[in-house]
Amino acid sequence: MKDNRTSIIEASLIFLGVILFCIVTVWLVDQVFNGVFYEWFSNRFYIEARYQSNEKIGVIFRSWSEIKEFLIGVFSVLLIFLALCTSISAYFYAGYRSKKDISFITDSINSFIKSNSYDLTLPEKYSEIEKQLIRIKANSQKNEQLVQTEMQRKNDLITYLAHDLKTPLASVIGYLSLLDEAPDMPAEQKAKYVGIGLQKAYRLEELINEFFEITRFNLHSIILNKGKIKLAFMLEQMADEFYPMLNPQRKQVAIHVPDDLILVGDADKLIRVFNNILKNAIAYSYENSVIEIMADQQGENTVLTFTNQGDPISPHKLDTIFEKFYRLDSARSTNTGGAGLGLAIAKEIVAAHGGTISAESNPDHTVFTVKLPS
């Protein structure tokens, strides 16, 4: 578009130049060279009607004014003709330049997209398009890399889970086989085998649930049903449900939340957030330690903190701890192994409420902070 305007301006300047030239020529003939031209013309032509003779050529003009009118008419016709030719030439030239530029840009973009580099050189007038294309390609490659990384993590996780399924399943089959082969087994030994088999069956159930979690994982379809929540009551009830996980290692949960603190949100979704954070804190805290849950009102936000004492999390892992399919324990213990979805889901649910979730860690403790609009 800018190139077309430039071509039109150039054509207009040429047109004005032709007009100015004709006007100056007429003025020079009429004013400056009036006597000289008249004398020359009179000597060359008779200013009266005559037929052609041997020496002179007769013309139909009777006076100098008629000659000037004739010249002006010729100049006017010439001017119109030149203007018309200039306009037509400028139009076709602008179209030719536009097609040439479009073809060049198209070829450049195709080569740029197919290449792995960020080298793209367009004419100066298309510098903004060049910057936008480089930015778009960079974002596209970044997103593609993130998708590939996520898919690789997901595939690795499925492989690990499939491998982990074999261990509890083999234990369940083994202990059931012992019970089947020895019906007269002492009651105490039978109870022990049943307990171990039940424990492995529960672990098997957890792993199967994680498979379903991966299959239906779609965080972009979160629908919130908000209501008023008594935060202290919710957190106390949640902590009681974790007693079977806390008791074996003599861990405790201490809740410091005002009884009158009310939070507006989706209770089912938020309990899942707090559940995932607490489960993570229990899994990675020291034995005989206390996990503290605190909440208070800070301006227009309700801020919750989950503090546990355990091995510090490195800064690198803190940057990726909320990514999908990321796990802190790369060794994948079958007792603490998970799909790495808990904190990623927690982050998306908190974001859907208009809040934020973050983590910080040092040698003394690890703190997860959830900030939600009141």
Side-chain angles (χ1 to χ4, degrees), residues 95-109 126:
Y96 167 76
R97 285 292 302 273
S98 297
K99 290 181 180 179
K100 187 176 180 180
D101 288 347
I102 292 173
S103 178
F104 173 76
I105 293 174
T106 302
D107 294 339
S108 300
I109 291 175
Y126 299 115

Side-chain angles (χ1 to χ4, degrees), residues 15 24 53 66 99 126 170 178 215 236 239 259 282 289 303 308 317 326:
F15 179 74
V24 170
S53 63
E66 292 182 11
K99 290 181 180 179
Y126 299 115
L178 289 174
T215 303
E236 289 172 359
D259 293 335
I282 294 172
S289 63
V303 180
N308 70 278
K317 290 184 177 181
Y326 180 82

Side-chain angles (χ1 to χ4, degrees), residues 109-120 130-144:
I109 291 175
N110 289 334
S111 300
F112 177 66
I113 292 174
K114 293 177 181 178
S115 67
N116 295 323
S117 66
Y118 292 98
D119 294 333
L120 176 63
E130 178 181 324
K131 294 177 182 177
Q132 292 292 339
L133 286 172
I134 294 175
R135 191 179 298 113
I136 290 171
K137 183 173 183 178
N139 292 335
S140 176
Q141 290 187 344
K142 181 180 179 181
N143 293 334
E144 184 179 352

Side-chain angles (χ1 to χ4, degrees), residues 41 45-49 58-71:
F41 196 85
F45 301 100
Y46 286 114
I47 312 303
E48 58 187 26
V59 296
I60 61 174
F61 304 109
R62 297 178 182 177
S63 65
W64 173 241
S65 61
E66 292 182 11
I67 297 175
K68 289 194 294 185
E69 289 178 4
F70 170 75
L71 292 176

Side-chain angles (χ1 to χ4, degrees), residues 275-292:
N275 215 305
N276 285 330
I277 297 175
L278 182 56
K279 183 178 179 181
N280 190 78
I282 294 172
Y284 298 103
S285 60
Y286 297 138
E287 292 187 13
N288 300 311
S289 63
V290 177
I291 300 168
E292 294 187 350

Side-chain angles (χ1 to χ4, degrees), residues 29 33-43 47 63-64 67:
V29 171
F33 301 110
N34 193 354
V36 176
F37 185 78
Y38 178 76
E39 183 179 356
W40 171 82
F41 196 85
S42 297
N43 293 331
I47 312 303
S63 65
W64 173 241
I67 297 175

